Amino acid sequence: MSHSKVWLGLAFLMLEAMAFSVPALAQQPVETPPPAQKVPEPAPAATVDNQTEQIPSAPVAPKRITLENLRQRAENGEAGAQFQLAHRYLNGEGVTADNFIALQWFARAAEQGNPNAQYNIAVMYLNGIGVIQDNAAAVDWFRQAADNGDAQAQFTLAIILFNGQYDVPQNVPQAYKWFTLAGSAGIREAAANAVLIQEMMPPEQVEMMQQEALKWIESYESRQTHSN
C-alpha cells in the first residue's frame, strides 16, 4: 500500500498529548508505466559462410508519458491517469496550477475506488484546498480511503478517533483497530501507538478489536481478488 499522496504533517504521537497538526501538501505523483508495447519482430537473419548469424534488435526506448497522452487516458476512464493528471494541476507541472481542477480529477479517480485519490480529497477538504473547508466531508473521505486500504488514511483516522477530533466522538477501541492495521501496513508510528493503547484497554476488548482487524483484512483481500 505504498504510494504518493498529499501528505499530512503528522508528528510522532505521545499518549500524554496526541496532537494532530494541520495537513500540508507535499507529494510527487506516482508514474505509472505506459501501455505495453508489442515485442519487436526479430531482424532478418544474415547468412555468412553457411552460418546463420542473428542480428540483435536495438532496444526499444520506453514511451514518454506526455500531457496529451495522460489527459487522453484520464478522459478514457483510467483511474491512475486521472490521479496523475490531478497532481499535475495541483503542483502546476506542465499546466497552470488549479486546485479546483485537481480536485475534479481526484474525484473521478476516487469514484473508481482509488484510495490515494480518496485520501487526497480528504486532505483538501480538511485544508480548504480547491473546495470550501469541511471537516465532516474530510473525515468521511478518510474513512473511505482507510476502508480501501490506504495506510496513511488508516493512521489519520486512528488519530482522529483517539483524540475525538472534528466532531467525531472519541473511540479508543476503534482507534486501536486502525492503528493496528496501519502498523501492519508498515507505518511504524501506528504500530507503536497500537502497543501503547493496548495497555489502556481490557484484554477482552483488545481481542475483539484484533478480530475486527482480521475480518477487515479478509474482506479487503476478498475485494482485491474480485476486482482483478
Side-chain angles (χ1 to χ4, degrees), residues 84-97:
Q84 290 187 55
L85 187 59
H87 262 291
R88 293 210 180 189
Y89 276 104
L90 189 67
N91 299 323
E93 297 175 0
V95 296
T96 302

Side-chain angles (χ1 to χ4, degrees), residues 1-2 11 20 25 39 43 52 76 80 103 117-118 142 145 151 154-155 162 178 184 186 190 194 199 225:
M1 291 183 283
S2 173
F20 184 48
L25 295 172
V39 177
T52 301
N76 288 338
L103 183 65
Q118 291 168 344
F142 278 131
Q154 293 170 347
F155 184 36
F162 185 89
W178 289 112
S184 68
E199 299 301 318
T225 300

Side-chain angles (χ1 to χ4, degrees), residues 2-156:
S2 173
H3 33 247
S4 297
K5 56 170 71 71
V6 182
W7 289 102
L8 289 172
L10 290 171
F12 284 91
L13 298 183
M14 295 180 293
L15 290 178
E16 307 86 60
M18 282 195 170
F20 184 48
S21 61
V22 177
L25 295 172
Q27 176 184 357
Q28 295 296 324
V30 177
E31 291 293 338
T32 57
Q37 303 294 314
K38 289 185 178 180
V39 177
E41 294 294 331
T47 302
V48 181
D49 296 332
N50 296 323
Q51 297 293 323
T52 301
E53 179 182 349
Q54 186 70 42
I55 300 175
S57 56
V60 178
K63 184 178 179 180
R64 183 173 177 269
I65 300 176
T66 64
L67 178 61
E68 292 74 17
N69 173 263
L70 187 63
R71 191 184 301 278
Q72 182 178 15
R73 288 161 50 199
E75 291 285 1
N76 288 338
E78 186 180 323
Q82 292 167 347
F83 181 78
Q84 290 187 55
L85 187 59
H87 262 291
R88 293 210 180 189
Y89 276 104
L90 189 67
N91 299 323
E93 297 175 0
V95 296
T96 302
D98 190 317
N99 293 334
F100 179 70
I101 295 178
L103 183 65
Q104 289 181 315
W105 282 112
F106 278 136
R108 290 180 66 170
E111 287 170 2
Q112 298 191 66
N114 185 298
N116 301 353
Q118 291 168 344
Y119 173 91
N120 287 355
I121 293 172
V123 175
M124 294 177 81
Y125 267 109
L126 201 60
N127 285 293
I129 299 170
V131 69
I132 296 174
Q133 194 269 343
D134 187 331
N135 290 340
V139 173
D140 182 61
W141 281 107
F142 278 131
R143 287 187 185 277
Q144 291 188 55
D147 193 50
N148 280 331
D150 187 283
Q152 191 67 37
Q154 293 170 347
F155 184 36
T156 304

